[in-house]
Amino acid sequence: MAEQFQSAVESSMDKTNLILKDIEQAYGWPKAQRNQSYAALRTVLHLLRDRMPVQESVEFSAQLPLLVRGIYFDGWQPQNVPIKLNRDDFLYEVRQGFPYDVDGGPERVVQVVLDTLRRHVTQGEWDDVKDNMPADLARVMP
């Protein structure tokens, strides 16, 4: 049993590092900027989570690595969702939650993280996520 747990944790860490590395590669950041890639992932994940109904949020999270799922649910208050955010509100909240100045600003942060997440979930689940976003935000999602 302990070996299964260790294997599951190691697998989750590998998958999480791959997601963070994908974000870093999109920006050209070295691994030394892992805090920035983590902050970008966390910020966008929390905004997606809070914008979706509880059931859809849970279904989406099931496809995330265990460690990313923990980040996703950290601080979640399901009784307060979904929060109504249009594209501009979403970008504003990204700017508030992501304290780094990067090329392309919050719009680029969102695009990079969404592109990365899209590659790590099924098309059907990603379509469900997009269907739960306002039209102006869904249009910029991969």
Side-chain angles (χ1 to χ4, degrees), residues 1 8 17 19 29 48 52 65 67 70 79-80 86 89 96 109 123 130-131 135 137-138 140:
M1 186 67 133
N17 280 323
I19 290 170
W29 294 337
L48 281 178
M52 288 189 281
L67 185 55
Q79 70 277 10
N80 296 333
N86 63 29
D89 296 335
Q96 298 309 302
V109 171
Q123 184 63 48
K130 283 177 70 171
D131 288 346
L137 182 57
V140 299

Side-chain angles (χ1 to χ4, degrees), residues 48-105:
L48 281 178
R49 173 200 73 192
D50 291 345
R51 181 62 186 89
M52 288 189 281
V54 171
Q55 184 62 36
E56 185 54 45
S57 191
V58 171
E59 290 172 10
F60 171 67
S61 75
Q63 294 196 10
L64 300 173
L66 184 61
L67 185 55
V68 176
R69 199 174 316 141
I71 296 165
Y72 182 79
F73 283 119
D74 184 44
W76 191 38
Q77 296 180 354
Q79 70 277 10
N80 296 333
V81 299
I83 295 172
K84 301 294 183 198
L85 294 172
N86 63 29
R87 180 184 169 278
D88 291 339
D89 296 335
F90 197 93
L91 293 173
Y92 174 81
E93 293 298 329
V94 167
R95 184 67 193 127
Q96 298 309 302
F98 183 74
Y100 303 96
D101 289 323
V102 295
D103 289 341

Side-chain angles (χ1 to χ4, degrees), residues 6 11 14 18-19 33-34 41 44 52-54 73 75 84 96 103 116-117 119 121 123 126 130 141:
Q6 184 175 358
S11 174
D14 290 345
L18 180 61
I19 290 170
Q33 288 180 273
R34 181 64 43 106
L41 177 64
V44 174
M52 288 189 281
V54 171
F73 283 119
K84 301 294 183 198
Q96 298 309 302
D103 289 341
T116 299
L117 289 172
R119 290 191 303 272
V121 300
Q123 184 63 48
W126 192 250
K130 283 177 70 171
M141 294 177 74

